[in-house]
Amino acid sequence: GEPVDASLERLKAIAAAHCGDGLDQMVDAVLTESLGDDRQSDDVSVLAVRIARLGRFEQIVFPAVAGRLLGVRAAIRQWLESGGLRSEVVADALLAASEATANAVEHGAPSSGSPVTVDLAQRTPGSCTLTVRDAGVWRDRGDEGDRGRGLEVIDKLVHRIDVTRDGAGTCLTMTIVDHERPVPTDDR
């Protein structure tokens, strides 16, 4: 037989030559090229793993002060624009995020300066989530005239909206999907 180090180098070269193939094709190539037509007297197994891109994440924490919203909006805009989304999708997402952060500052903070957290996450091209958390207690909409329509506005601008409320505060998660840039599927 062949020395182990030589076998591993040959296996590494075969895998490298087929690294752009799908996992099934790569495994077939490794088996075919490393074993050939020789009948095996023992079991053979191959483990192939695709390392998924973890994505882009950012967290912005700011005091619930209206004067800080302009800087937060600029940071969110920059993050959205760097994610490969179309400008129309960025504009809608930014408007939704602006409404959510303004609401967190105005309604969600138990006191001026309480922290508001914005989590930005993009796991795949074409979609992302923006989560806004505050420490306030949820208040149902009262008779506010033309005000109090923030969630309705956000809901029209994003793919999905989820709101959770508990003793720690309110968490609003918006899912943004650029329908012209479909999320890639796993080709195994």
Side-chain angles (χ1 to χ4, degrees):
E2 184 176 24
V4 172
D5 288 343
S7 296
L8 290 175
E9 284 302 315
R10 189 167 49 84
L11 181 61
K12 189 166 95 175
I14 294 168
H18 294 279
C19 70
D21 300 348
L23 288 181
D24 290 341
Q25 293 84 6
M26 181 179 165
V27 168
D28 288 345
V30 165
L31 288 171
T32 302
E33 294 179 32
S34 64
L35 301 176
D37 293 330
D38 297 340
R39 181 177 164 96
Q40 302 302 309
S41 59
D42 204 354
D43 292 338
V44 174
S45 40
V46 174
L47 174 64
V49 178
R50 171 176 293 136
I51 298 174
R53 182 174 172 232
L54 293 177
R56 301 178 325 117
F57 302 94
E58 186 168 333
Q59 185 175 71
I60 303 166
V61 180
F62 67 99
V65 176
R68 298 294 300 268
L69 289 171
L70 186 61
V72 171
R73 181 181 166 100
I76 294 171
R77 176 193 305 275
Q78 182 179 13
W79 187 87
L80 287 166
E81 288 176 343
S82 69
L85 301 171
R86 290 178 301 118
S87 61
E88 300 85 10
V89 175
V90 169
D92 286 351
L94 185 59
L95 180 56
S98 297
E99 181 66 28
T101 54
N103 284 348
V105 167
E106 183 178 353
H107 305 294
S111 64
S112 180
S114 295
V116 175
T117 303
V118 179
D119 291 321
L120 307 159
Q122 183 175 20
R123 289 173 179 80
T124 59
S127 71
C128 62
T129 58
L130 283 75
T131 302
V132 178
R133 288 187 194 88
D134 62 54
V137 177
W138 183 265
R139 295 184 311 218
D140 287 324
R141 190 172 96 179
D143 183 20
E144 300 183 38
D146 288 337
R147 295 181 47 84
R149 304 206 190 294
L151 289 178
E152 292 174 33
V153 170
I154 293 169
D155 189 47
K156 299 292 183 201
L157 295 168
V158 301
H159 179 73
R160 180 178 170 175
I161 180 173
D162 295 299
V163 180
T164 56
R165 308 163 193 103
D166 61 24
T170 302
C171 178
L172 183 147
T173 300
M174 300 166 278
T175 303
I176 290 90
V177 176
D178 187 339
H179 294 287
E180 291 189 20
R181 298 203 181 171
V183 177
T185 58
D186 182 12
D187 67 350
R188 299 179 27 77

